[in-house]
Amino acid sequence: MAGEAEAPRREQVGATFQKIEEELLRNRPGGFGRLRLPQFRLMCDIVEADLAGCPAGAQATELRNKSYEAHCARSVFLRALQAVSGGEESPPGVPGAVWYWLRRPLFGLLPRWWYGWRHRRRMTRKGSWYRAWAELPEGGTDFFANACRLTVGAPGAARRKPIVDVLLRALLADLERAFRHPRLSPWGRRRRHRVVLVFPQPPVGDDDTGWLLEQFPRAVEQTGCTGVMLVAAVRPGRERTESFAEAAITLKSWIGTTGAAGARVVRVGVEPHADDEDAARWLSRYPEIAVGRGRSDVAPRVEAAVAAVAGVTALGLLGGYVVTVVTASSDTSCLGGSASSSGASPGAGDDGGGRSRPPDRSPRAVYGDVVKAITQQNKEADKAARSGAVVRTVGYLGVPVTADNWGEAKYSGAIPEVRGIALAQEEINEQADQQKNSKVWLRVRLMDAGEGFTRAPAAARALAKEVRAAGRAGGGEEFLGVVGLGQSRPGTLSARDILAGAGLPMIGTAATAEEMQRSPMYRQVAPDNHREARVAANFARHANIVQTAPGTCAPARKAVVIGDPTDIYSANLSDRFAEAFGDVHRIWYPVQRPSAAPPPKRKGQGDEWVSHTSQMADSICRRLKEEPRTVVYWAARAHEFENFLDDFDSRTGCNGQSTVLGGNDLDNAVVEQQRPSEKHLKLRLYYAAQALVKDSPPNVKGDEFRRRYAAAYGSDLWSNDARVPLASDALDVLSEGINAAYQSAGTAPFGRGGVQSALEQGVGGAEGLRGATGSLIFGEGAKVPVNKRLLILHDTRDAPPEIALECGIRDSGDEAKTWGPRSAFDCPRDQDDDGGDDEGGDG
């Protein structure tokens, strides 16, 4: 520390500490980085502050302001803020005064307050060196008020001692922090060298060095500094001296001498002697000083640059994502366009333009044509059996068509389902004819389940009796399974249990209630209500579907759920949507049917029960007036939907202005028959579906299936009905299980047990089976396909429905995982939930 400081003399700080600061900043090793001395510079600013003429009550504030001004002189950022904040006087003129009073608190007063608060907390918190040195009380004292005593007092040594004390302790605290600071900085991680303070000249006169040397051990103890060593020359006689040998012993004892925070203090006075042989031998071995490899500033700068680029890139990506989400959420355009949109949609209808209508023939005649096609395929199978082909029988348990007019038959899913069965049987038998050694021909037996599946238990008992009789007779197992069970009704559940008791594997078509899965012999191609409800709730929460002004829409805040507690499908879907959406009001509308059980107990407090659609319409209108951003979730059956819309238009004060999100029972054929958007001009209707006549991007198996449908039936009311491909997929899954059992058995007999085992393992393996409604991936023991494809369609007035949401696996390796404008929202996926959850159509 020889020589004078180069900077202008600071009288109160003194030349010694000025020189120490200059040398510390000048003699940093390579790779050390910038040395920050915030506490030392704060105390320097305080002792240099001139509070002459300041009232006694304002000295603490004045000291804070003066130290802040000194700090601003060293900070480019704070000087810029001061420049922006303006001067102390308000400029003339109203605009200037307004700007002055707005900018001063933000750019002037706030940084000054923050500076004072930060230093008060740092210097007076528990464990701080200043609190120990100043002996501050437990309750705490304002730092600047206490520090005022350093700026006043008698001149000379009495005043210098406390100044030297605080400057030394502040300096040691900053040096310790430089090495103990979290190593996020690339420079901080490279700091290996500690600090050595060397005073080669003995202190003279009023030099601060003498008092500094006396206070150094105690300051190290108080600050816990472990990184500073002091070497000083003193005049002889000032303290006891040791020989080199004695000094070595003393230095060795340093290891066991610890102070506050692990600091180690040892004071050794040495007077060298040239003839000290013991010292010479010891110093030839100890102490060894490991210099270490030299470091440069290049490495930390490169690391900092790489980290900065990586950070900017990450922030840019995150910012882009946030902007996308915010933009999507702030977008007020209605999803799916206006209800009067006339443009073609991705899910075009019969001819890409108009609506389809029922055939001119009676429903019974149309159904009879499909029955004839299945009968013809059964004859082809019998013929193949006589030629030695492997042929087995499966059953289709569904609702036949008995009505002669479309008014009674328009809600029945019998025609689309049996058409899907017929097309699948034809394709399966064609493949069996081509691959005789690995494929099995199928006969299909149509089984009458009756209206609402009321006759399904009787049909199941008759089949079970037949199967058991064949087993007792010792014949082979010719009847291998059942498809269909397309409605979640009490009769369906009863038939399922009877068929399971007979050991018959079952593949459901359009039933979606979760109760259907409670049998080891049952699985389905239509995903269940749990998944559909999650997707629908996600859609309602994020999609702009509720109209708030002409051409402006927003997501729903609340929902009114319409359900039938006597209907297994409706009650399950209602419960699941209420769980997923949250803020709902439920209206129960029990529809009495011959097969309906007695009215159930009330499902929850606050639920509303109505006996007519007019009461339902009045209640919904009241809630729409309370919260316009309310969506109606229709979880009931489709046959009451038209009555509700008529009552809502004609009997309420809402003038037909509503947004309805329909469950899967509102399928394409029903919507095309009722034409709600044509008849109710202020209605916005969205509903769940699993297939369309045209998809973008295409599904390979779906395209092939639609070509087969068009060749067999042309373009009609059911071209867009999801129950057609669902039924086809169900028979394909059962056929795949039968083929797997046949191939595993080799030349040995095979039967229902082998088919069930193949289905439990998951047909198609990890990739699943390509289906007309999307890939069918069954995990081991799974009842429903994983992440099955689901669409939510927007009904338009003059055009076919358009896709508003698509989620799920379209084809092998092709899954829609996001939806919405710029794909802003994630699709709910089965892997996100332990229970698995899928969608479906409960026809």
Side-chain angles (χ1 to χ4, degrees):
M1 301 296 175
E4 295 293 329
E6 297 178 1
R9 181 69 180 269
R10 303 177 71 182
E11 294 297 334
Q12 302 304 321
V13 172
T16 298
F17 283 102
Q18 279 189 263
K19 185 64 175 177
I20 290 175
E21 181 182 6
E22 287 182 4
E23 294 300 326
L24 285 173
L25 298 178
R26 189 198 331 258
N27 294 314
R28 288 171 294 153
F32 186 92
R34 182 182 176 186
L35 177 61
R36 301 177 186 274
L37 302 171
Q39 298 180 75
F40 176 74
R41 285 172 174 162
L42 169 68
M43 301 313 300
C44 288
D45 294 338
I46 286 177
V47 300
E48 287 291 330
D50 182 10
L51 301 182
C54 179
Q59 284 186 344
T61 302
E62 181 67 16
L63 182 60
R64 190 272 317 262
N65 293 343
K66 285 184 175 293
S67 61
Y68 177 71
E69 290 170 4
H71 179 62
C72 288
R74 295 187 297 267
S75 172
V76 176
F77 176 73
L78 289 178
R79 287 202 304 272
L81 284 185
Q82 278 191 327
V84 172
S85 67
E88 295 294 334
E89 297 296 331
S90 173
V94 175
V98 171
W99 171 238
Y100 171 81
W101 289 110
L102 287 176
R103 66 186 179 178
R104 286 288 293 165
L106 184 61
F107 298 135
L109 301 180
L110 182 60
R112 180 177 299 182
W113 171 86
W114 172 253
Y115 171 85
W117 179 86
R118 185 162 57 95
H119 283 297
R120 286 188 184 97
R121 183 177 180 277
R122 171 185 287 173
M123 303 301 285
T124 61
R125 66 189 174 195
K126 186 176 181 180
S128 71
W129 66 267
Y130 187 86
R131 181 173 178 174
W133 176 81
E135 298 180 349
L136 297 181
E138 189 68 26
T141 302
D142 182 76
F143 165 70
F144 290 101
N146 183 271
C148 285
R149 62 195 178 98
L150 298 172
T151 66
V152 296
R159 183 185 176 193
R160 290 301 302 171
K161 287 183 179 181
I163 291 177
V164 173
D165 285 350
V166 294
L167 293 180
L168 176 59
R169 284 161 174 76
L171 180 66
L172 292 179
D174 284 337
L175 292 176
E176 178 65 15
R177 185 173 179 270
F179 292 97
R180 295 285 187 180
H181 199 266
R183 298 297 190 255
L184 294 178
S185 166
W187 288 275
R189 289 197 304 274
R190 290 169 170 81
R191 290 173 185 169
R192 298 291 183 270
H193 302 282
R194 299 295 171 157
V195 174
V196 179
L197 300 179
V198 180
F199 296 91
Q201 300 171 351
V204 294
D206 58 354
D207 190 357
D208 292 337
T209 307
W211 184 246
L212 185 151
L213 297 180
E214 290 186 26
Q215 284 295 306
F216 183 80
R218 187 177 178 188
V220 168
E221 291 279 355
Q222 282 189 344
T223 59
C225 183
T226 62
V228 179
M229 178 178 180
L230 186 146
V231 178
V234 298
R235 298 186 181 280
R238 291 286 301 270
E239 59 182 73
R240 178 181 174 275
T241 60
E242 300 177 355
S243 67
F244 279 139
E246 293 173 326
I249 296 173
T250 305
L251 289 172
K252 284 183 178 180
S253 69
W254 185 17
I255 298 175
T257 307
T258 60
R264 296 180 179 131
V265 182
V266 62
R267 184 165 181 162
V268 180
V270 178
E271 184 176 354
H273 298 277
D275 56 352
D276 195 334
E277 295 181 1
D278 291 337
R281 282 194 303 271
W282 187 82
L283 290 174
S284 66
R285 302 188 306 273
Y286 305 102
E288 293 181 354
I289 299 176
V291 177
R293 64 184 180 89
R295 298 179 182 272
S296 70
D297 289 325
V298 176
R301 287 175 181 172
V302 170
E303 184 179 336
V306 171
V309 171
V312 170
T313 302
L315 288 175
L317 294 175
L318 178 62
Y321 174 78
V322 171
V323 168
T324 299
V325 173
V326 171
T327 302
S329 61
S330 61
D331 184 10
T332 59
S333 59
C334 299
L335 185 61
S338 64
S340 61
S341 172
S342 60
S345 68
D350 55 333
D351 57 4
R355 301 273 191 172
S356 300
R357 299 187 180 277
D360 294 333
R361 303 161 63 221
S362 71
R364 183 182 296 180
V366 174
Y367 181 80
D369 289 343
V370 189
V371 173
K372 290 178 184 177
I374 292 175
T375 303
Q376 181 59 37
Q377 279 297 313
N378 290 341
K379 292 179 179 179
E380 294 289 335
D382 291 337
K383 181 179 178 181
R386 291 191 293 270
S387 301
V390 180
V391 181
R392 294 293 185 269
T393 302
V394 299
Y396 166 68
L397 183 60
V399 179
V401 174
T402 58
D404 286 324
N405 64 82
W406 290 107
E408 296 180 24
K410 64 182 178 180
Y411 296 113
S412 171
I415 292 175
E417 270 205 1
V418 79
R419 281 184 173 181
I421 296 294
L423 290 174
Q425 183 191 19
E426 180 183 25
E427 184 179 16
I428 289 167
N429 288 344
E430 287 176 358
Q431 294 176 357
D433 186 42
Q434 297 168 3
Q435 305 176 48
K436 295 182 175 59
N437 296 326
S438 60
K439 301 286 186 179
V440 178
W441 285 71
L442 291 186
R443 304 184 195 92
V444 176
R445 181 189 300 180
L446 300 179
M447 303 162 59
D448 184 359
E451 182 68 25
F453 272 68
T454 54
R455 298 179 59 186
R461 279 191 291 270
L463 178 58
K465 182 177 180 181
E466 175 187 332
V467 168
R468 292 190 180 100
R472 287 193 296 270
E477 293 185 351
E478 293 291 327
F479 205 102
L480 297 186
V482 176
V483 296
L485 298 90
Q487 297 180 18
S488 305
R489 307 279 193 185
T492 316
L493 297 179
S494 179
R496 176 205 63 189
D497 294 338
I498 295 169
L499 295 173
L504 286 163
M506 291 165 280
I507 307 295
T509 53
T512 59
E514 293 171 90
E515 287 87 339
M516 290 295 297
Q517 302 169 34
R518 296 172 185 169
S519 170
M521 305 299 292
Y522 175 88
R523 50 197 39 82
Q524 63 191 53
V525 292
D528 59 25
N529 287 339
H530 192 185
R531 175 169 170 81
E532 179 180 328
R534 287 182 67 204
V535 173
N538 183 277
F539 178 76
R541 280 291 189 193
H542 297 294
N544 289 343
I545 59 175
V546 180
Q547 184 167 315
T548 56
T552 300
C553 290
R557 288 176 178 161
K558 293 186 177 182
V560 177
V561 181
I562 310 299
D564 181 355
T566 65
D567 185 336
I568 296 172
Y569 153 77
S570 179
N572 178 232
L573 185 59
S574 299
D575 289 343
R576 285 304 194 182
F577 182 85
E579 291 172 6
F581 189 84
D583 195 354
V584 302
H585 173 75
R586 297 209 268 194
I587 298 179
W588 295 107
Y589 177 54
V591 178
Q592 296 298 324
R593 307 181 185 86
S595 62
K601 296 179 181 179
R602 295 181 178 268
K603 297 183 73 69
Q605 293 183 352
D607 293 355
E608 183 178 356
W609 291 65
V610 298
S611 58
H612 194 274
T613 54
S614 60
Q615 296 174 308
M616 182 193 305
D618 290 338
S619 176
I620 290 173
C621 184
R622 287 196 303 271
R623 297 189 177 277
L624 286 174
K625 289 179 179 179
E626 294 172 1
E627 173 51 80
R629 287 173 59 175
T630 297
V631 64
V632 177
Y633 186 68
W634 188 268
R637 296 286 177 176
H639 52 75
E640 293 292 341
F641 185 58
E642 192 169 14
N643 293 334
F644 156 69
L645 294 179
D646 289 340
D647 287 337
F648 189 81
D649 273 7
S650 61
R651 298 174 61 91
T652 70
C654 287
N655 301 318
Q657 182 73 53
S658 65
T659 299
V660 177
L661 177 57
N664 56 71
D665 200 58
L666 283 180
D667 54 49
N668 298 339
V670 171
V671 171
E672 289 200 3
Q673 277 291 290
Q674 295 188 5
R675 304 179 186 276
S677 295
E678 288 184 12
K679 300 175 182 178
H680 309 279
L681 302 183
K682 294 184 179 181
L683 168 70
R684 296 191 61 81
L685 174 62
Y686 302 84
Y687 60 98
Q690 293 156 323
L692 284 176
V693 69
K694 287 185 179 180
D695 288 336
S696 178
N699 171 305
V700 174
K701 182 65 182 289
D703 281 350
E704 179 184 345
F705 176 80
R706 282 185 283 271
R707 285 193 296 269
R708 296 176 67 90
Y709 184 93
Y713 305 109
S715 180
D716 60 9
L717 178 63
W718 299 285
S719 298
N720 252 354
D721 197 310
R723 288 171 292 192
V724 183
L726 282 172
S728 177
D729 284 351
L731 190 58
D732 280 344
V733 169
L734 182 57
S735 173
E736 192 71 17
I738 292 172
N739 289 332
Y742 171 52
Q743 294 161 13
S744 298
T747 58
F750 73 99
R752 292 180 290 275
V755 176
Q756 174 67 6
S757 178
L759 294 173
E760 284 182 346
Q761 293 174 11
V763 293
E767 292 295 322
L769 183 68
R770 278 184 165 178
T773 57
S775 286
L776 307 165
I777 303 176
F778 288 90
E780 186 171 351
K783 301 293 186 181
V784 294
V786 176
N787 294 324
K788 183 70 192 319
R789 185 169 182 249
L790 173 68
L791 306 173
I792 290 184
L793 306 181
H794 172 228
D795 185 44
T796 58
R797 186 182 307 169
D798 304 319
E802 54 191 3
I803 297 175
L805 171 147
E806 178 184 14
C807 286
I809 303 175
R810 305 183 186 104
D811 211 338
S812 179
D814 181 15
E815 179 181 357
K817 296 182 179 180
T818 58
W819 66 274
R822 295 169 292 280
S823 299
F825 308 111
D826 293 330
C827 289
R829 305 183 74 244
D830 292 345
Q831 290 89 332
D832 299 336
D833 190 26
D834 294 337
D837 36 72
D838 290 288
E839 84 284 348
D842 199 291

